Amino acid sequence: MICLKEKEPSRKRKVKNALAKCLVRNFRLRGEKVWKRLNAQLPAPVGSHTTDEPRVKQFEELVKKLSFTDHYALKRWLKFAYNEMDNSCYGNVTGSIERHCTKWTQIYSEHYNVME
């Protein structure tokens, strides 16, 4: 099952997130920019846990180098993008749309789950 797993942030991360919450005005815009910048440095996502494992490990290393405001915005954006994709798959959708939604919810959740 594809789901977001919330890691317990360290005390240091909690303080950084509280400060970033005050400094980041539009997490959607900033988080998407950070995602696109990181995504350009990584291999193309497949949407399969085993196939995307090297990509997720590289992503995890890149995330460690982000500023605390970029980290905060990216994590919030990934959660937002996951929920948007997950919610858009309900109702009368075709099989190809459902596969697309499943692929991207898998990708967003894997990347979100490795972030602190």
Side-chain angles (χ1 to χ4, degrees):
M1 182 172 167
I2 303 169
C3 62
L4 298 180
K5 296 176 184 145
E6 197 68 44
K7 283 186 176 179
E8 180 62 34
S10 64
R11 187 176 186 155
K12 187 177 180 181
R13 176 58 61 194
K14 286 180 183 177
V15 171
K16 287 180 178 183
N17 286 344
L19 184 57
K21 190 175 187 177
C22 299
L23 296 174
V24 175
R25 298 274 182 236
N26 187 346
F27 77 86
R28 287 185 196 170
L29 181 63
R30 187 168 185 168
E32 187 174 15
K33 284 181 182 179
V34 173
W35 171 256
K36 287 179 179 179
R37 189 177 74 229
L38 294 179
N39 202 29
Q41 299 175 37
L42 298 168
V46 177
S48 168
H49 176 71
T50 54
T51 310
D52 281 340
E53 205 168 303
R55 175 192 162 89
V56 173
K57 287 181 182 179
Q58 289 177 355
F59 175 80
E60 190 173 13
E61 293 303 314
L62 290 173
V63 164
K64 290 177 183 176
K65 299 174 186 172
L66 291 176
S67 68
F68 71 96
T69 51
D70 283 349
H71 184 280
Y72 171 79
L74 177 61
K75 186 163 183 177
R76 294 252 341 249
W77 182 83
L78 281 170
K79 187 173 189 174
F80 167 79
Y82 171 87
N83 288 329
E84 283 292 303
M85 192 60 67
D86 193 41
N87 292 335
S88 68
C89 285
Y90 292 114
N92 297 328
V93 295
T94 64
S96 61
I97 293 174
E98 188 174 349
R99 279 191 303 276
H100 173 79
C101 292
T102 302
K103 173 186 173 180
W104 283 99
T105 53
Q106 175 76 30
I107 291 166
Y108 292 144
S109 70
E110 283 184 348
H111 289 77
Y112 181 87
N113 292 343
V114 297
M115 295 181 74
E116 180 182 9

